[in-house]
Amino acid sequence: MSDSTLSKQAETASGYGYFRARMRHYAKPFRQASRTSRWLVFAGLGILIFFTLVAAVGPELYGFGATQYRVETAPGQFQQIPQLAPPSATHPMGTTRDGFDVMARVIGGAKLALIVMGLAVSVAMLIGVSLGLASGYRGGPIDRILVTVMDSVYAFPPLVLAIIISFILGAFISPGVFSAAFAVGVVYIPQYFRVVRNQTLAVKQETFVEAAQSLGAKSRSILTRYVFFNVVHTVPVLLTLNAADAILTLAALGFLGYGVQPPTPEWGYDISQAITDVSSGIWWTAFWPGVAIVTLVTGITLVGEGVNDVVNPLLRARGASGPRLPRRQKKPRKGADVEDDSYAVSVRDLRVGYRTPKRPLWAVDGVDFDIRYGESLGLVGESGCGKSTLGRALMQLLAPGCRAYGSVRLGGEELIGQSERRLRQKRGDDVAMIFQEPMTRLNPLMRIGDHFVEMIRTHRSKISRKQARAMARDVLSQMGVPPSRIDNYAHELSGGMRQRVMIALGIVLNPKLLIADEPTTSLDVIVESQILDTIAALLGNKSAGLLMITHNLGIVAETCDRVAVMYAGRIVESGPVDAIFNDPKHPYTRGLLASTVSLETTTLHSIPGYPPDLLDPPSGCRFAERCPYAMAHCTEADPALTDVGPSQSAACFLYPGAGQDVPAGLTPPSGNPQVVGI
Amino acid sequence: MKKGSFGHYLLMRVLLSIPMLLILLTLVFVLLHAAPGDPVTATLGSRLPPDQIAARKEALGLNDPIYIQYFRYIGHALEGDFGHPITDSRSVGQIIEDTAPATLELVIAAMIVAVLVGISVGALAARLRDTAFDLGGRFFGILIYATPLFWSALLAQLYLSADLHWLPSSGRIGGFYVPEHITGFYTIDSILTGNWPALWSTLSHLALPAITLGLLVGGVFVRLVRVNMLQTLRSDYIDAARARGISERSVVYRHAFKNALIPVITIMGLQFALLIGNATLSETVFSWPGMARALVLFIGARDYAAVQGIVTFIALAIVVLSLLIDVINALIDPRVRY
């Protein structure tokens, strides 16, 4: 464990440190959010603060009152304010039909709008949250009735509901701030209710609550605390949405005459009073209150959008921040070593970089390998070592903000630097990929057959729909899927069946290279071995190469001819399956093999430590920190891949040729690590 | 009926809407009987002598115990009898028949505007993510949402009708053109009777209210479609489609679009409620002789009976609408039926 993690833990132990850590935890998404999102929040907050200031001190500072129609020129002497005066130095926004100063009314309206907004949203949140907690906690018929009531209220036209509530409240109390706030706020109750109730229900079913209950803890307080932490991300977004809506609803109520008691300044009411002015060419009485509404609501919405961007990572701008990646050589590089097309794929010095805020992250950092037709290469390594990125780079299907360098020759044709159009022709036709989770890889709204027809006709425009369907039936039955399933939807198939469909989709056009990225991880063992047999059988006619990406060495032993072991973005050892399994050379490979469980396993071994941070890779051998054989110069120089046996190579200084002499007296390890231990 | 079949789903969904309907009706009844006093006194108390008020109350059954009134109300509502206003000689049913087509015509026209604007701008903004178009589209959405309908309608009326004389500023049709009554929808009636001047007059009257109302909801759709498209474009099956070499156009419009629109359809149902609510404002500004305006006028007259009748009708309409939306959803998305 590194020092910084330790000090962080020490910090969280103290009360203040805990607070700081929590704050940092909540501020983190904000810091990670895109510049646009942050800008949105700041612009919105600026507007909101401006209006709050205007509402708080405006009425005191401004020379006219909102309902003042005369000015005292001398003690006891009053002069009427001119009616419908256009904007001037004394009345910057003009005056109304009643001789009120428009700016004073706009300022007064801001105060009312903000008070009603605050009250309405608080009332809705208070009622919604407490009802939601109670309903979710109690359950039973009360819960069901409340849910239906809330759904019904939610489905009702919100403005009509607000009008009716204010109409009914009018029978009890005279229209004022409270009745307006209540009429406006009732509409929002169901939203809070729903969020909190669903969370309460979810938390209640957690076992830790039951455990705490059985220990006699106050389950209610546990419940409240967990629900709070779960809804703390949703409620701020709801709050801002509702706050913006509250301003608009209040104005609409005022416009229809159901807001607060006139002549209280209220933007909507003022606009309704200005209708007659508008038709006689007087614009200022209606214009300014409207501008106030638009600005304030825009401000609140901007805050909401920004907050939403921050708490909902899906909406964040694509990860294209930070320094740009280096440019690529313009022309596809001529293959230095491999000119002939006897290889399905030939990879040279492949590097794949991701843009990150400070410097590029090289997920794949200089990789070479070849796969012949009919050959299968297993690519193994821990999660995060770059093997999936490598697989995607082989079809140039990279995430935004990610770029590949070097050379990938598919059937002799260079792919790096190739046009997107040409790459699209290659994908699916010459190179196909089988993904990890078959459950989500088929379009849920398309029948199985349509996936085939679409793909076949994209690449072979001459093939008719009917022929394409026939091809689909053939390849499906070859994969062990009844051809009648062609008109099913994905959700009607089992996981194993879907993976067979995915493989069928992959091979229907006879690609030169098949990439299988953890194809059986989400399947059970029996289906796994069936699928692996199917994949292995595909290579029989020598028309395609296979790259099997996996962390499972058993799968490699079962299906592959050769293995490449990847560590921290590089291949550290490669060779025939037999050689790698029986006589691994690189200490990482040895560790990896020793940590697999088999029937002969007596003690479970694990490699101590963690892979290095790829943002800041160590200067020497990347495995040196965890290597039991590490020597002094291992942390200084970078070992190159060298031959360590017949067609077996490893990047390690333990073997001559890696760039350093092996120290006298040190015998490189050999033999099966599971049998002899490393 | 087979489980998973469409018929089975339809039956279950209809059964499920019964409690929702009963609860909505109960809510309406409770709300409108919460006010102290009785509706006749509240409406006419100052204008009629006490004996006439008593007679009216007796005639309306207001002296019966509250639970009898409740069951009578539910029974009548389910039969489609929405009662009688106190300030109007027509029955509420008749008033709805007279005014609902106008409101529906406006709301449907607005919905068409909203869907066209929302889907095209939203989908394009998602495809051109983080470009000027995307930012502009987002800001347009926010601004449209932030503009009160009655204000933008007022400004549009002032500029396009009073200043430029392009479009009529109020009413539903020019007085001379009213088409023969068949459906009550002037657009449909004028097409059915081949009355082209009437159609032109109807459309020009419809333009301003429908566009102002439609843009408001369109702003909501722009956001919704954009977010859903963005989320769908990140899904695994889109990635897989790209890996099969499917063209970006097909990926966006064949694979992502339909999937992204499913949640939008559900929310479209809810937006109908928003449209009906905001129709109160549109109809008021444009003197549109619809149901929402009638409701506002009856509320102004404190006519509880009429308000109750119209609100009951709205409640019924909402239940039917949400049923319809779910059925459409089930037709589009094969997963829903299970």
Side-chain angles (χ1 to χ4, degrees):
Chain A
M1 194 178 289
S2 73
D3 289 347
S4 65
T5 356
L6 277 176
S7 68
K8 261 178 210 158
Q9 283 205 337
E11 205 177 306
T12 47
S14 70
Y16 177 66
Y18 176 80
F19 175 75
R20 284 221 348 223
R22 270 247 90 87
M23 288 313 287
R24 218 181 294 133
H25 171 74
Y26 286 115
K28 195 173 159 200
F30 186 77
R31 274 187 278 112
Q32 287 175 344
S34 75
R35 204 171 302 157
T36 325
S37 308
R38 267 181 285 182
W39 186 86
L40 287 179
V41 175
F42 283 131
L45 278 178
I47 294 174
L48 205 55
I49 290 168
F50 172 75
F51 270 87
T52 315
L53 282 179
V54 165
V57 295
E60 311 296 323
L61 293 185
Y62 190 61
F64 297 94
T67 52
Q68 180 188 355
Y69 54 92
R70 52 183 194 178
V71 279
E72 198 169 17
T73 43
Q77 288 257 316
F78 290 98
Q79 192 189 350
Q80 298 280 323
I81 294 174
Q83 295 168 354
L84 293 176
S88 64
T90 8
H91 304 287
M93 294 181 182
T95 63
T96 70
R97 192 168 288 276
D98 297 320
F100 299 149
D101 180 276
V102 174
M103 193 155 147
R105 304 235 9 124
V106 170
I107 292 172
K111 188 172 177 180
L112 182 82
L114 287 176
I115 291 175
V116 170
M117 174 190 96
L119 276 176
V121 174
S122 326
V123 164
M125 197 171 71
L126 220 71
I127 299 179
V129 167
S130 41
L131 278 181
L133 270 174
S135 188
Y137 186 72
R138 292 234 121 195
I142 296 176
D143 178 52
R144 274 197 293 278
I145 290 176
L146 262 174
V147 167
T148 321
V149 168
M150 289 293 171
D151 280 355
S152 310
V153 171
Y154 189 61
F156 207 79
L159 189 54
V160 174
L161 187 63
I163 293 171
I164 293 168
I165 302 272
S166 88
F167 166 59
I168 291 159
L169 282 179
F172 294 97
I173 45 175
S174 65
V177 173
F178 285 101
S179 66
F182 193 75
V184 169
V186 165
V187 183
Y188 312 130
I189 294 175
Q191 304 173 15
Y192 297 95
F193 172 82
R194 195 184 293 211
V195 169
V196 172
R197 181 232 169 220
N198 289 349
Q199 273 307 330
T200 313
L201 218 58
V203 172
K204 204 174 78 169
Q205 281 150 359
E206 297 277 354
T207 39
F208 61 81
V209 176
E210 277 171 36
Q213 270 171 330
S214 66
L215 290 174
K218 284 182 197 157
S219 62
R220 221 172 279 200
S221 74
I222 296 175
L223 206 66
T224 318
R225 201 175 321 149
Y226 276 92
V227 169
F228 171 78
F229 281 117
N230 278 308
V231 299
V232 79
H233 294 292
T234 327
V235 167
V237 179
L238 270 185
L239 268 178
T240 48
L241 282 178
N242 292 340
D245 192 73
I247 304 282
L248 288 169
T249 310
L250 175 71
L253 282 180
F255 181 80
L256 292 172
Y258 306 118
V260 291
Q261 189 78 52
T264 314
E266 196 281 313
W267 295 332
Y269 169 76
D270 283 7
I271 293 175
S272 75
Q273 292 304 295
I275 293 180
T276 44
D277 305 341
V278 166
S279 49
S280 47
I282 291 159
W283 56 271
W284 56 87
T285 47
F287 182 73
W288 294 114
V291 168
I293 299 175
V294 174
T295 318
L296 180 55
V297 176
T298 303
I300 300 171
T301 316
L302 285 179
V303 175
E305 289 264 304
V307 170
N308 199 12
D309 277 7
V310 171
V311 297
N312 188 349
L314 266 183
L315 303 179
R316 271 183 225 163
R318 290 192 282 203
S321 64
R324 288 180 181 282
L325 292 166
R327 294 180 77 88
R328 211 149 40 191
Q329 303 125 301
K330 286 222 174 80
K331 284 251 166 100
R333 202 171 81 163
K334 292 266 179 265
D337 322 6
V338 194
E339 278 293 23
D340 65 313
D341 56 357
S342 64
Y343 290 111
V345 70
S346 174
V347 175
R348 289 292 171 272
D349 192 28
L350 178 65
R351 288 157 54 82
V352 185
Y354 285 90
R355 276 179 85 174
T356 70
K358 291 209 175 90
R359 63 185 87 91
L361 181 148
W362 295 99
V364 178
D365 198 5
V367 161
D368 305 76
F369 63 86
D370 303 305
I371 302 176
R372 285 175 206 283
Y373 291 104
E375 184 185 51
S376 56
L377 174 71
L379 186 66
V380 294
E382 290 165 276
S383 342
C385 72
K387 50 190 197 303
S388 285
T389 303
L390 174 60
R392 296 182 74 92
L394 294 192
M395 58 191 331
Q396 288 293 295
L397 194 69
L398 295 169
C402 175
R403 193 181 281 174
Y405 305 81
S407 165
V408 173
R409 298 176 74 87
L410 181 70
E413 185 179 341
E414 179 61 63
L415 293 189
I416 300 225
Q418 196 56 267
S419 74
E420 188 55 30
R421 189 186 153 79
R422 182 73 188 136
L423 287 172
R424 246 195 324 261
Q425 290 169 354
K426 293 272 161 197
R427 287 181 203 137
D429 195 352
D430 286 345
V431 50
M433 192 163 208
I434 301 163
F435 296 94
Q436 187 171 2
E437 340 70 7
M439 307 310 276
T440 55
R441 291 286 175 178
L442 289 162
N443 185 333
L445 299 187
M446 261 168 98
R447 291 173 200 277
I448 300 302
D450 293 334
H451 287 85
F452 283 90
V453 172
E454 180 192 49
M455 176 185 175
I456 293 170
R457 284 170 55 80
T458 300
H459 295 290
R460 309 266 195 282
S461 51
K462 286 196 187 109
I463 293 181
S464 72
R465 235 190 111 73
K466 216 173 148 192
Q467 286 169 309
R469 278 175 70 87
M471 283 170 76
R473 280 208 192 83
D474 281 351
V475 73
L476 281 173
S477 59
Q478 187 191 332
M479 286 297 107
V481 181
S484 58
R485 294 294 206 153
I486 193 166
D487 287 324
N488 280 135
Y489 289 98
H491 69 268
E492 295 165 328
L493 304 181
S494 66
M497 198 77 100
R498 283 187 222 186
Q499 194 60 298
R500 285 165 195 277
V501 169
M502 291 306 294
I503 298 172
L505 268 171
I507 61 163
V508 66
L509 292 175
N510 293 315
K512 294 174 178 147
L513 176 67
L514 195 60
I515 304 165
D517 189 354
E518 310 260 6
T520 55
T521 308
S522 56
L523 305 175
D524 65 64
V525 201
I526 294 169
V527 180
E528 172 175 72
S529 79
Q530 287 172 350
I531 296 273
L532 290 176
D533 289 346
T534 317
I535 293 178
L538 289 175
L539 301 170
N541 63 358
K542 306 264 179 210
S543 67
L546 169 70
L547 179 70
M548 172 69 75
I549 300 172
T550 180
H551 61 264
N552 185 336
L553 290 164
I555 289 178
V556 172
E558 204 173 319
T559 45
C560 297
D561 304 321
R562 287 195 304 126
V563 190
V565 180
M566 209 169 163
Y567 184 75
R570 292 193 175 160
I571 290 181
V572 293
E573 180 164 10
S574 74
V577 166
D578 282 351
I580 299 280
F581 275 80
N582 293 320
D583 189 13
K585 300 293 188 192
H586 196 283
Y588 176 64
T589 316
R590 301 184 69 79
L592 209 57
L593 280 168
S595 53
T596 52
V597 185
S598 75
L599 287 177
E600 293 98 66
T601 311
T602 45
T603 51
L604 194 60
H605 179 82
S606 74
I607 308 174
Y610 299 93
D613 179 7
L614 285 178
L615 264 178
D616 187 18
S619 51
C621 172
R622 297 188 171 184
F623 188 61
E625 201 186 320
R626 301 165 73 184
C627 182
Y629 302 100
M631 300 167 282
H633 59 263
C634 284
T635 52
E636 288 153 19
D638 211 0
L641 265 179
T642 42
D643 289 343
V644 291
S647 67
Q648 184 177 3
S649 53
C652 181
F653 288 126
L654 288 174
Y655 305 94
Q660 298 276 337
D661 293 331
V662 181
L666 183 77
T667 337
S670 67
N672 187 330
Q674 281 207 342
V675 181
V676 299
I678 64 166
Chain B
M1 220 176 293
K2 216 179 98 203
K3 192 168 184 290
S5 74
F6 183 68
H8 182 261
Y9 174 80
L10 192 66
L11 182 74
M12 293 314 292
R13 188 58 192 77
V14 169
L15 286 179
L16 271 177
S17 53
I18 293 174
M20 184 179 174
L21 180 65
L22 284 180
I23 284 186
L24 257 177
L25 291 180
T26 309
L27 268 182
V28 171
F29 183 85
V30 170
L31 270 181
L32 285 156
H33 286 76
D38 68 282
V40 178
T41 319
T43 316
L44 301 171
S46 53
R47 280 178 277 164
L48 284 183
D51 55 324
Q52 282 195 35
I53 287 187
R56 286 249 191 157
K57 278 170 72 173
E58 189 58 45
L60 287 170
L62 293 174
N63 294 333
D64 296 334
I66 192 84
Y67 66 91
I68 297 219
Q69 290 187 45
Y70 171 72
F71 286 116
R72 191 165 50 215
Y73 161 76
I74 298 277
H76 283 170
L78 293 178
E79 279 170 12
D81 176 0
F82 302 113
H84 293 266
I86 297 163
T87 56
D88 196 312
S89 55
R90 297 175 293 175
S91 71
V92 175
Q94 186 61 44
I95 292 170
I96 289 169
E97 220 180 299
D98 291 346
T99 56
T103 298
L104 262 184
E105 193 164 35
L106 170 63
V107 165
I108 290 173
M111 193 51 129
I112 292 172
V113 173
V115 167
L116 287 181
V117 171
I119 291 181
S120 56
V121 177
L124 211 57
R127 213 190 144 179
L128 305 174
R129 175 162 204 196
D130 294 335
T131 61
F133 183 88
D134 181 26
L135 278 180
R138 283 180 86 180
F139 199 69
F140 165 80
I142 293 177
L143 217 58
I144 279 288
Y145 171 75
T147 310
L149 179 66
F150 50 88
W151 191 63
S152 56
L154 208 63
L155 294 186
Q157 208 179 30
L158 175 73
Y159 189 66
L160 296 175
S161 321
D163 268 18
L164 299 174
H165 299 287
W166 282 1
L167 294 165
S169 68
S170 65
R172 209 181 152 199
I173 193 168
F176 304 114
Y177 300 112
V178 180
E180 196 184 328
H181 183 95
I182 302 171
T183 58
F185 291 85
Y186 285 176
T187 39
I188 296 175
D189 287 353
S190 51
I191 291 172
L192 286 179
T193 54
N195 188 347
W196 308 122
L199 180 64
W200 177 245
S201 177
T202 306
L203 288 180
S204 64
H205 279 82
L206 192 57
L208 269 189
I211 291 174
T212 45
L213 185 56
L215 280 183
L216 176 80
V217 180
V220 180
F221 283 175
V222 168
R223 280 203 217 176
L224 203 68
V225 171
R226 177 179 173 274
V227 168
N228 272 309
M229 275 297 274
L230 285 180
Q231 288 183 341
T232 313
L233 281 171
R234 280 172 179 245
S235 56
D236 284 348
Y237 55 85
I238 294 294
D239 184 48
R242 287 193 176 123
R244 289 198 296 273
I246 309 299
S247 73
E248 194 60 22
R249 247 179 90 93
S250 275
V251 166
V252 172
Y253 293 108
R254 274 194 63 172
H255 289 264
F257 198 51
K258 209 173 159 192
N259 279 289
L261 283 193
I262 288 178
V264 176
I265 290 170
T266 312
I267 297 186
M268 241 173 73
L270 290 173
Q271 298 308 314
F272 257 112
L274 186 72
L275 275 175
I276 293 172
N278 279 286
T280 54
L281 300 170
S282 274
E283 292 183 0
T284 306
V285 174
F286 291 104
S287 313
W288 192 265
M291 203 173 64
R293 183 153 161 267
L295 177 68
V296 171
L297 293 177
F298 280 123
I299 286 181
R302 305 206 71 75
D303 188 335
Y304 279 85
V307 172
Q308 175 174 302
I310 293 179
V311 172
T312 305
F313 176 74
I314 294 178
L316 273 172
I318 283 162
V319 173
V320 173
L321 195 71
S322 72
L323 181 68
L324 233 99
I325 295 281
D326 281 356
V327 168
I328 291 174
N329 240 336
L331 281 175
I332 298 177
D333 188 347
R335 288 168 297 180
V336 170
R337 289 174 228 163
Y338 290 84

